[in-house]
Amino acid sequence: MLSRSILTSLRNFYSSSLLLSKMVDPKRVISYEDMLKIVRQPEKVIIDVRNPEEISSTGRIPSSINIPLNSIDTVLSSMPSEEFKRQFKRDKPSESDELIFYCRSGKRATEALDKALKLGFSNSKNYLGSWEEWSSKQK
C-alpha cells in the first residue's frame, strides 16, 4: 500500500509535462517523510541533479551532493574513486548503494534514475517531490 505522501508526489509528477508512459516504478519513489529520515543516514547518497547556479539561488537538501544531470553517466561510470572523494567529500557509491535523485520538480531526477539503473545502480530511487516539495514543507 502506498503512503498518502507518495501518492501525492506521484500525482504531482504525473500532472507535470512528462508523458504517462515515462512513469516511475512506485517501488523507486521516495516520499518527503522518507527524505526527513534519509538526510540523517550518511550511507545513503542523495544526489541533486540541478545545475550549480540553481542550487546557489535556492538552496539544497541537507547532506546532498550536486552532480548535474549532464554529468551523471560520466561521474557514476568512469570518475576514479579518488577524484570522486576529493570532489564530493565522500566515498564513490558502489552499484549496491542506495542513490536518491532529486531536482527542482522531479523531471531531471527521473532521467537521472533511468541513467543510474542502466549503469547497474539497482538500488536507485527518485524523490519525485524534489526541491519544490522539500522547500515548501521546510518553511
Side-chain angles (χ1 to χ4, degrees), residues 19-37:
L19 298 173
L20 288 176
S21 63
K22 295 280 285 177
M23 294 183 345
V24 176
D25 181 346
K27 296 181 308 222
R28 298 207 177 274
V29 175
I30 298 289
S31 70
Y32 172 77
E33 288 75 18
D34 295 329
M35 286 299 288
L36 289 172
K37 298 172 194 155

Side-chain angles (χ1 to χ4, degrees), residues 22-23 45 60 75 81 85 92 97 102 111 120 139:
K22 295 280 285 177
M23 294 183 345
V45 185
R60 66 182 183 86
V75 170
S81 296
K85 187 158 190 152
K92 183 176 180 179
D97 288 335
Y102 79 96
E111 288 182 55
K139 294 178 179 176

Side-chain angles (χ1 to χ4, degrees), residues 4-134:
R4 176 170 286 159
S5 178
I6 289 176
L7 287 172
T8 300
S9 292
L10 284 170
R11 196 172 304 116
N12 291 341
F13 175 74
Y14 295 141
S15 66
S16 73
S17 63
L18 285 181
L19 298 173
L20 288 176
S21 63
K22 295 280 285 177
M23 294 183 345
V24 176
D25 181 346
K27 296 181 308 222
R28 298 207 177 274
V29 175
I30 298 289
S31 70
Y32 172 77
E33 288 75 18
D34 295 329
M35 286 299 288
L36 289 172
K37 298 172 194 155
I38 290 169
V39 296
R40 293 186 211 71
Q41 298 174 348
E43 72 279 4
K44 310 252 175 143
V45 185
I46 304 170
I47 302 173
D48 186 332
V49 298
R50 296 177 295 163
N51 293 320
E53 54 277 0
E54 290 177 84
I55 296 168
S56 30
S57 69
T58 62
R60 66 182 183 86
I61 295 176
S63 77
S64 65
I65 61 173
N66 176 229
I67 306 174
L69 178 61
N70 63 359
S71 304
I72 284 289
D73 291 19
T74 305
V75 170
L76 292 179
S77 66
S78 58
M79 179 181 273
S81 296
E82 305 77 35
E83 166 99 14
F84 189 96
K85 187 158 190 152
R86 186 172 57 254
Q87 189 169 340
F88 300 108
K89 312 293 186 252
R90 64 172 301 141
D91 290 335
K92 183 176 180 179
S94 70
E95 291 179 355
S96 63
D97 288 335
E98 187 171 350
L99 308 182
I100 297 102
F101 295 100
Y102 79 96
C103 58
R104 183 184 60 82
S105 65
K107 295 176 190 176
R108 287 173 285 178
T110 300
E111 288 182 55
L113 173 64
D114 289 341
K115 290 179 180 201
L117 291 171
K118 286 176 183 161
L119 290 170
F121 289 86
S122 58
N123 289 324
S124 296
K125 298 189 174 140
N126 186 342
Y127 172 35
L128 282 180
S130 281
W131 178 253
E132 287 180 346
E133 180 179 54
W134 180 268

